[in-house]
Amino acid sequence: PLAGQADLILDSARRAARLTHPHIAPLLDWGKYEARAWVVTSAQGHSLQSLVEAGNPLEEHLALGFLESLAGALAYLHRHALVYQNLEPDAAVIAADARNARLSWPVYAVPAGSPQRTADGKSLRVVILRYAAPEVLRGDHETIDPAVDLYCLGATFYSLLAGKDAYSKARKKLELPDIRTFRADLTAPTAELLAETLAADPRQRPQAQAVQERAAQIMGRLTRPAG
């Protein structure tokens, strides 16, 4: 819906260029060429989508490292009253240390509480249908709120942990089943955290800061040496 809406993209680029966080790719430049907007980010690595396409479910402790870093980036955005909107495997990249991840396309972040459309009818909503929150798909929310980020975060990591085919099968319903339907080896704390981020009611989803803290806690317990 944003195709050809150069002014909206450039407004978002100016906003994104002011962001400074280790897990958000810096926006370096922007402009317009023949009525089309262009933006330049810092160098990117492999996207999380490359892991989804590989077809092998991700190990739990690796997924938790990526989850913790991306939840931290969302918490930063939410503290600045912004909503990232389009979090999905293609909008996040693996960091150079291969243990963290970065949001790679902050240009679609909008102020929290923004209407879905501007006064002149232009859309502000960015929707990736395979990862979108139920309220977005139903169209029953008139504003763009941080809770959509949390659902997309949960759906992204559901796909990484369950695998591409399992996620595609599960996504046919608005409510994804317990992740352990596909991954019985996952620990209960991880399964519970994902389930909470995927709550059908956006009011029941945790805050991004809480997700970051819990992911770090679970990862610490899984990777702590015995004894």
Side-chain angles (χ1 to χ4, degrees):
L2 288 173
Q5 298 186 24
D7 291 340
L8 288 177
I9 293 174
L10 296 180
D11 283 345
S12 297
R14 295 183 185 97
R15 188 182 305 119
R18 295 193 290 268
L19 302 173
T20 302
H21 190 276
H23 300 306
I24 300 177
L27 195 66
L28 305 179
D29 198 6
W30 65 85
K32 187 187 291 187
Y33 178 74
E34 295 183 350
R36 292 180 64 87
W38 55 265
V39 297
V40 180
T41 68
S42 63
Q44 305 288 354
H46 290 291
S47 72
L48 295 184
Q49 183 64 27
S50 67
L51 301 179
V52 173
E53 293 296 333
N56 298 317
L58 203 59
E59 293 181 47
E60 183 173 1
H61 73 280
L62 292 176
L64 286 166
F66 296 152
L67 175 62
E68 189 269 338
S69 52
L70 293 183
L74 290 183
Y76 168 84
L77 288 169
H78 296 171
R79 286 195 297 272
H80 287 77
L82 296 173
V83 182
Y84 187 69
Q85 286 205 89
N86 68 323
L87 177 56
E88 41 91 22
D90 239 354
V93 296
I94 302 167
D97 63 6
R99 293 181 294 182
N100 295 283
R102 297 200 304 173
L103 298 176
S104 60
W105 198 239
V107 73
Y108 291 140
V110 297
S114 294
Q116 293 195 49
R117 294 186 177 276
T118 62
D120 56 358
K122 293 181 179 180
S123 176
L124 290 176
R125 176 78 78 181
V126 177
V127 179
I128 308 298
L129 294 178
R130 285 173 55 81
Y131 300 93
E135 66 271 18
V136 174
L137 297 176
R138 292 192 301 262
D140 58 7
H141 272 57
E142 296 182 357
T143 58
I144 302 173
D145 302 308
V148 302
D149 287 348
L150 273 298
Y151 187 94
C152 293
L153 181 70
T156 291
F157 282 90
Y158 195 109
S159 68
L160 288 167
L161 288 165
K164 181 179 179 180
D165 292 341
Y167 181 77
S168 295
K169 178 181 177 181
R171 184 63 195 189
K172 292 178 180 179
K173 299 180 179 179
L174 278 181
E175 292 190 28
L176 294 167
D178 188 321
I179 184 66
R180 287 176 294 179
T181 302
F182 305 106
R183 287 286 303 276
D185 61 307
L186 295 180
T187 63
T190 294
E192 185 176 74
L193 180 57
L194 279 186
E196 290 178 18
T197 66
L198 294 167
D201 184 346
R203 295 170 297 182
Q204 299 302 315
R205 295 172 203 151
Q207 299 292 315
Q209 182 69 42
V211 175
Q212 179 188 20
E213 293 171 356
R214 288 172 61 186
Q217 181 185 60
I218 298 167
M219 181 172 58
R221 290 173 177 172
L222 292 178
T223 58
R224 186 178 298 126

